[in-house]
Amino acid sequence: MNTVKQSWMQKGYADEPLPEGIDLKAEIRRLCREKNAIILAHYYTEGEIQDLADYVGDSLGLARQAARTDADIIVMCGVHFMGETNAILCPDKKVLVPDLNATCSLAESCPADAFKAFVESHPDHQVISYVNTSAAVKALTDVVVTSGNARKIVDTFPPDAKLIFGPDRNLGNYINSVTGRNMLLWDGACHVHERFSVEKLLQMKREHPEAKVLVHPECRGAVVKLADVVGSTAALLQYAIDSPADTFLVVTESGILHEMQKSCPGKKFLPVPPDDSTCGCNECNYMRLCTLPKVYNALRYEWPTVEVPAEVARKAVRPIERMLELSK
Ligand code: 13P
């Protein structure tokens, strides 16, 4: 292996200087055409990434899009588990995540060996895993869910089914509360959604009594209680589009404001801040690792690819396909 590639591997992305004077966006589009590549982006990525993408969506939309694309290369602008999901669904395609450091705190909160021991200590339980998990955790799972279909999929189990839900305790608690279940929860959380401040949200509600409160179910229960609507990023966006209200307090990662503002130019979207900060935004540092220069270099060098060991992929594909089937 040459030393340049070795240094990329240490950094987790191809940090080659850009050719002087290039039109980055035009070059990215050219490479996509030449290589039959598609760019998928999550709503939490930077606005300029979303504007360039072929498809922008929530975790469910991204998985569906990957499953149906005929592109040879998928550039997944988001975090690593999203690339893994694509690689598992599309074993014949090259899946690129422009920066391999883009992990997910939820996925990190659930190491596969510890989760395996937890599952094995409850052999009479079926296992439901949130999509924000590693491929190795999905391989231990009966069905995968996203925030957009968790309730629907949990509802497909008989009322007396014994269920494990991991890794997000907040989403698990929320699904337990709306379905009347008592799923056994893994004790994980998203470092962004966990931080939203009840006090600051209450203050903003007092300042904007007419505003609707949009909350992602990865938030703590005390925050969810204050919501007008609880849903995935795509569901919150759709609610804002359909609602006659013109002001919204947004309690999820602030990247979604880009598409909300684009879809509803006449409406006002106010990000609710985290409790440990004086600034107004609550950003996922991992999502922000995806930048246009990294997308360009990923396409140029077709690296970094997301690799899932064949045996893990063989086991993980079933619960992901089951999810896609159940959420039709
Ligand atoms: P959705 O994509 O389902 O809205 O969930 C957000 C998220 O956790 C992305 O990592």
Side-chain angles (χ1 to χ4, degrees), residues 42 44 58-59 81-82 130 132 147-148 216 218 232-233 287:
H42 192 274
Y44 292 162
D58 69 354
S59 304
F81 77 80
M82 297 174 179
Y130 194 28
N132 300 40
S147 66
H216 197 280
E218 288 177 23
S232 73
T233 44
M287 287 281 179

Side-chain angles (χ1 to χ4, degrees), residues 8 43 68 73 117 125 140 146 157 187 190 192 195 228 249 271 282 284 317 321:
W8 292 355
Y43 287 126
R68 71 166 73 113
I73 298 177
H125 281 59
L140 300 165
T146 73
F157 286 84
D187 192 19
C190 159
V192 174
R195 284 201 326 234
D228 289 293
L249 307 182
N282 195 357
C284 173
V317 74
E321 284 180 343

Side-chain angles (χ1 to χ4, degrees), residues 165-184:
F165 185 94
D168 187 355
R169 62 168 178 268
N170 293 328
L171 177 63
N173 272 321
Y174 172 69
I175 298 297
N176 272 343
S177 75
V178 292
T179 61
R181 305 259 175 178
N182 188 21
M183 297 186 296
L184 214 50

Side-chain angles (χ1 to χ4, degrees), residues 38 40 54-55 60-70 74 90:
I38 186 176
L40 306 182
D54 296 284
Y55 174 84
L60 178 58
L62 293 167
R64 282 181 168 147
Q65 207 64 32
R68 71 166 73 113
T69 184
D70 56 9
I74 299 173
C90 313

Side-chain angles (χ1 to χ4, degrees), residues 296-318:
Y296 172 72
N297 275 335
L299 273 162
R300 193 175 169 199
Y301 298 106
E302 300 183 22
W303 192 88
T305 50
V306 176
E307 311 290 345
V308 180
E311 184 55 15
V312 175
R314 190 183 64 74
K315 291 183 182 155
V317 74
R318 275 176 298 182

Side-chain angles (χ1 to χ4, degrees), residues 68-307:
R68 71 166 73 113
T69 184
D70 56 9
D72 295 313
I73 298 177
I74 299 173
V75 185
M76 184 60 243
C77 297
V79 291
H80 191 260
F81 77 80
M82 297 174 179
E84 279 191 335
T85 303
N86 297 347
I88 292 164
L89 285 169
C90 313
D92 55 333
K93 300 186 193 308
K94 202 173 258 187
V95 178
L96 307 171
V97 169
D99 186 335
L100 289 178
N101 299 298
T103 59
C104 164
S105 56
L106 256 172
E108 303 272 301
S109 73
C110 190
D113 50 355
F115 193 65
K116 184 166 187 279
F118 181 60
V119 167
E120 283 174 356
S121 65
H122 300 91
D124 53 346
H125 281 59
Q126 296 180 77
V127 182
I128 303 177
S129 289
Y130 194 28
V131 71
N132 300 40
T133 44
S134 65
V137 166
K138 290 186 177 78
L140 300 165
T141 294
D142 292 296
V143 63
V144 169
V145 299
T146 73
S147 66
N149 59 21
R151 182 178 186 169
K152 183 175 177 179
I153 290 179
V154 169
D155 273 339
T156 65
F157 286 84
D160 57 348
K162 292 183 174 173
L163 303 173
I164 285 175
F165 185 94
D168 187 355
R169 62 168 178 268
N170 293 328
L171 177 63
N173 272 321
Y174 172 69
I175 298 297
N176 272 343
S177 75
V178 292
T179 61
R181 305 259 175 178
N182 188 21
M183 297 186 296
L184 214 50
L185 307 182
W186 182 262
D187 192 19
C190 159
H191 74 306
V192 174
H193 288 92
E194 185 85 339
R195 284 201 326 234
F196 281 109
S197 160
V198 175
E199 290 68 33
K200 287 182 182 168
L201 174 55
L202 285 170
Q203 172 68 27
M204 288 177 79
K205 271 170 76 76
R206 281 192 292 275
E207 289 164 8
H208 305 275
E210 75 293 1
K212 296 290 180 195
V213 180
L214 314 179
V215 176
H216 197 280
E218 288 177 23
C219 293
R220 289 173 293 142
V223 174
V224 168
K225 272 202 187 108
L226 299 170
D228 289 293
V229 61
V230 181
S232 73
T233 44
L236 299 180
L237 173 65
Q238 195 57 50
Y239 179 90
I241 293 169
D242 296 340
S243 169
D246 62 7
T247 306
F248 301 87
L249 307 182
V250 182
V251 200
T252 188
E253 210 272 358
S254 55
I256 185 67
L257 270 83
H258 180 74
E259 187 56 43
M260 286 178 167
Q261 209 63 77
K262 239 170 104 175
S263 302
C264 312
K267 298 184 179 181
K268 203 178 347 168
F269 296 95
L270 304 170
V272 173
D275 52 15
D276 53 356
S277 136
T278 48
C279 91
C281 52
N282 195 357
E283 289 185 350
C284 173
N285 47 326
Y286 299 123
M287 287 281 179
R288 301 301 138 134
L289 290 176
C290 186
T291 60
L292 287 182
K294 287 179 191 165
V295 172
Y296 172 72
N297 275 335
L299 273 162
R300 193 175 169 199
Y301 298 106
E302 300 183 22
W303 192 88
T305 50
V306 176
E307 311 290 345

